[in-house]
C-alpha cells in the first residue's frame, strides 16, 4: 500500500468520510433506536411501567411513578430518535433520493414531532409531581429541570426561526444565507444539550431509586442501576455519531453540482 494513500486521507475517507459511508449512517441509526429501546426496557422492567392516573397506596397516599415514567420514554423518543433524524435530514435522510425541498419538509416534521414529545414529557413530569400525595413534589427545582427548560427555550426559538426564515420564508435570500450558520450551530447545540440533559436526568432518577430502595453493595449492580449507565453511554454514542455527519462540507446539489457559496443544509439556490 503506497504511503501517500494514508497521507492524502484516502483510507480514512473511504471508511469514515466525510461524507460518512452508508454503513456509518446505519450504525448511527442503530444507536438511536437502541437508546430508545433501552429506555423502554428500563421504564417497564425496573421503573414500574406507564400509567395515566395516580395509584392509591393508602389513605390520602398515591403513587404517581407510572405517570412520571412517560417523561423519560417520550424524551428518549424526542432527542435520540426524532431530533437526531432531524439533524441528519439534510446530510443522510432515511430517503436518500429525497430532493432538497422534501428534506426541508422532513426536517421540519421531525422537529415538530420532537417538540410535541418534549411538551408531553414535561406535562407528564408536572402532573406526576402535583398529583403526588400526601406531599406533592416541587417542580423545577433541580439542575436537570433548569437544563431542560433552557434547552426547551432555545429549541422553541430555533423552531420558530426555522419556520419563519426557511420553511415559509419571510426574509430575503441574503438574510437567509447570513442566518444559516447561526441556525445550524444552535440546532446542533440544542441537540447536544438535549442529550446532556437526558443524561443528567437519568443520573438523577438513578440516585432517587438508589436512595428510595436503599441499594448498596452488590445491589448496585442490579439492572435498575446498570441499565441506566448503559443508556448514558448510548446517549454519548448517538450524539457523537450524529454530529460526525456534519464534520465535513455538505454534499453538493445534484442540480448544480456546487454549493460552495451556500449552506445547503438550510437553503438552496431555488429559494
Amino acid at each position: 500500500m503506497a504511503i501517500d494513500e494514508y497521507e492524502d486521507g484516502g483510507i480514512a475517507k473511504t471508511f469514515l468520510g466525510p461524507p460518512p459511508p452508508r454503513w456509518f449512517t446505519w450504525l448511527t441509526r442503530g444507536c438511536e433506536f437502541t437508546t430508545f429501546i433501552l429506555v423502554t426496557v428500563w421504564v417497564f422492567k425496573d421503573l414500574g411501567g406507564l400509567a395515566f392516573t395516580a395509584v392509591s397506596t393508602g389513605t390520602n397516599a398515591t403513587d404517581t411513578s407510572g405517570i412520571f415514567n412517560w417523561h423519560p420514554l417520550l424524551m428518549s423518543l424526542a432527542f435520540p430518535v426524532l431530533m437526531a433524524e432531524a439533524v441528519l435530514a439534510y446530510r443522510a435522510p432515511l430517503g436518500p433520493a429525497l430532493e432538497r425541498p422534501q428534506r426541508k419538509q422532513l426536517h421540519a416534521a421531525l422537529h415538530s414531532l420532537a417538540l410535541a414529545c418534549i411538551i408531553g414529557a414535561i406535562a407528564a413530569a408536572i402532573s406526576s409531581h402535583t398529583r403526588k400525595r400526601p406531599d406533592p413534589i416541587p417542580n423545577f427545582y433541580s439542575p436537570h429541570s433548569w437544563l431542560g427548560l433552557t434547552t426547551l427555550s432555545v429549541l422553541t426559538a430555533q423552531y420558530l426561526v426555522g419556520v419563519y426564515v426557511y420553511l415559509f420564508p419571510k426574509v430575503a435570500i441574503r438574510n437567509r444565507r447570513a442566518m444559516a450558520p447561526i441556525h445550524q450551530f444552535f440546532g446542533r447545540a440544542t441537540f447536544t444539550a438535549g442529550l446532556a440533559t437526558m443524561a443528567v436526568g437519568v443520573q438523577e432518577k438513578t440516585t432517587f431509586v438508589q436512595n428510595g430502595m436503599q441499594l448498596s453493595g452488590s445491589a448496585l449492580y442490579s439492572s435498575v442501576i446498570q441499565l441506566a449507565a448503559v443508556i448514558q453511554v448510548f446517549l454519548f454514542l448517538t450524539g457523537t455519531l450524529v454530529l460526525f455527519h456534519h464534520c465535513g462540507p455538505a454534499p453538493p446539489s445534484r442540480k448544480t453540482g456546487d454549493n460552495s457559496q451556500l449552506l445547503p443544509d438550510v437553503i438552496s439556490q431555488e429559494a
Side-chain angles (χ1 to χ4, degrees):
M1 185 71 67
I3 192 170
D4 60 348
E5 290 189 55
Y6 293 92
E7 292 175 347
D8 66 10
I11 298 297
K13 186 174 180 62
T14 298
F15 289 100
L16 292 176
R22 183 71 60 86
W23 69 265
F24 191 94
T25 300
W26 285 110
L27 175 64
T28 302
R29 292 197 164 99
C31 284
E32 293 173 18
F33 288 99
T34 298
T35 303
F36 177 69
I37 291 170
L38 288 172
V39 173
T40 301
V41 171
W42 192 47
V43 164
F44 282 95
K45 179 178 181 292
D46 296 311
L47 300 184
L50 303 174
F52 290 102
T53 59
V55 177
S56 176
T57 57
T59 304
N60 195 33
T62 58
D63 177 9
T64 60
S65 60
I67 300 174
F68 178 84
N69 287 342
W70 284 100
H71 181 76
L73 188 68
L74 288 173
M75 285 297 186
S76 67
L77 181 60
F79 281 100
V81 179
L82 295 172
M83 280 282 288
E85 286 299 321
V87 174
L88 292 173
Y90 285 98
R91 298 294 180 103
L94 282 167
L98 293 177
E99 297 289 348
R100 195 172 309 283
Q102 295 171 313
R103 297 186 185 203
K104 182 188 295 186
Q105 293 168 359
L106 176 63
H107 180 75
L110 289 166
H111 272 303
S112 298
L113 291 172
L115 192 57
C117 286
I118 293 167
I119 293 172
I122 293 174
I126 293 173
S127 177
S128 70
H129 290 167
T130 55
R131 296 165 73 176
K132 177 71 175 176
R133 296 293 182 272
D135 300 311
I137 302 171
N139 291 303
F140 308 121
Y141 68 90
S142 67
H144 168 64
S145 60
W146 281 58
L147 281 171
L149 288 175
T150 302
T151 302
L152 177 60
S153 298
V154 178
L155 175 60
T156 302
Q158 271 284 104
Y159 183 84
L160 295 175
V161 168
V163 170
Y164 184 80
V165 178
Y166 299 111
L167 187 61
F168 304 107
K170 305 296 183 182
V171 299
I173 183 65
R174 64 179 183 277
N175 293 326
R176 275 179 272 164
R177 286 173 175 159
M179 294 183 66
I182 300 172
H183 184 66
Q184 288 181 332
F185 170 78
F186 277 104
R188 296 168 200 167
T190 304
F191 169 65
T192 304
L195 295 179
T197 303
M198 281 190 63
V200 173
V202 169
Q203 184 58 48
E204 182 180 270
K205 182 65 175 179
T206 303
T207 301
F208 290 159
V209 171
Q210 180 181 342
N211 291 337
M213 298 177 66
Q214 298 182 339
L215 300 178
S216 61
S218 60
L220 294 176
Y221 292 96
S222 60
S223 64
V224 67
I225 304 296
Q226 295 303 301
L227 192 54
V230 176
I231 289 169
Q232 290 173 311
V233 171
F234 270 89
L235 288 171
F236 169 78
L237 290 174
T238 298
T240 301
L241 295 176
V242 169
L243 292 177
F244 183 80
H245 286 77
H246 289 266
C247 71
S253 167
R254 286 185 294 173
K255 291 184 178 181
T256 65
D258 180 18
N259 279 332
S260 59
Q261 301 303 312
L262 298 176
L263 286 153
D265 280 7
V266 290
I267 58 179
S268 68
Q269 291 183 332
E270 298 82 29

